[in-house]
Amino acid sequence: MSGTTALSDAIAVERKRYVMAARQSDTETAWRALERAHILSQPMLGQHMHVHWLMLCYAVRLRDIREMLGQIARLALAPIGALAGRVPMGNTGRSNVSAFAPMPIPEDLRPLLAKKHDNSSFRR
């Protein structure tokens, strides 16, 4: 399985986890699933933008103005960062963290990202 396929599959799992948690009003689990999807999506701009869109939609649903504004900014910044090769790996993508700060990648996600990085010129 290619790095991109494995990552796409893992992102889909996290998106499903988000949907299930949001339906059950489990906000903590929903955000955690979106954060994990964000970490996994960073090497792929389209997926990355989609996760930020989901984060924005969830913030709207929760009426979280700070998160809405943060996601709007990230939707504008993500393409620029990708083009410049400056994506802060491990960053959870939420407005409660700097959009520019790399963060530790969860152990269980590292092999998926390492496989993608081995097959691309993606830089930290």
Side-chain angles (χ1 to χ4, degrees):
M1 181 179 294
S2 76
T4 300
T5 302
L7 271 179
S8 294
D9 291 348
I11 293 165
V13 166
E14 294 299 339
R15 283 196 316 248
K16 287 177 188 172
R17 188 172 290 144
Y18 151 69
V19 169
M20 302 266 302
R23 282 184 186 153
Q24 297 172 351
S25 299
D26 183 350
T27 305
E28 184 177 333
T29 301
W31 276 124
R32 182 69 186 131
L34 286 172
E35 289 171 350
R36 289 171 57 82
H38 178 266
I39 292 165
L40 291 167
S41 72
Q42 287 178 302
M44 300 175 292
L45 181 58
Q47 294 266 16
H48 189 186
M49 296 293 289
H50 185 247
V51 172
H52 278 298
W53 176 254
L54 292 174
M55 288 179 161
L56 174 60
C57 292
Y58 195 49
V60 169
R61 177 177 171 181
L62 298 174
R63 296 185 174 105
D64 184 337
I65 301 295
R66 180 174 182 241
E67 191 69 44
M68 285 184 236
L69 294 173
Q71 292 309 318
I72 291 167
R74 284 159 176 78
L75 282 164
L77 292 171
I80 297 166
L83 290 172
R86 300 185 139 255
V87 177
M89 287 305 298
N91 188 290
T92 60
R94 296 277 310 278
S95 68
N96 60 351
V97 299
S98 168
F100 307 104
M103 299 171 74
I105 298 170
E107 285 290 328
D108 64 315
L109 303 183
R110 287 181 187 179
L112 292 164
L113 290 166
K115 190 171 188 178
K116 172 64 178 172
H117 292 193
D118 290 344
N119 297 326
S120 74
S121 60
F122 186 74
R123 294 178 282 165
R124 287 183 114 188

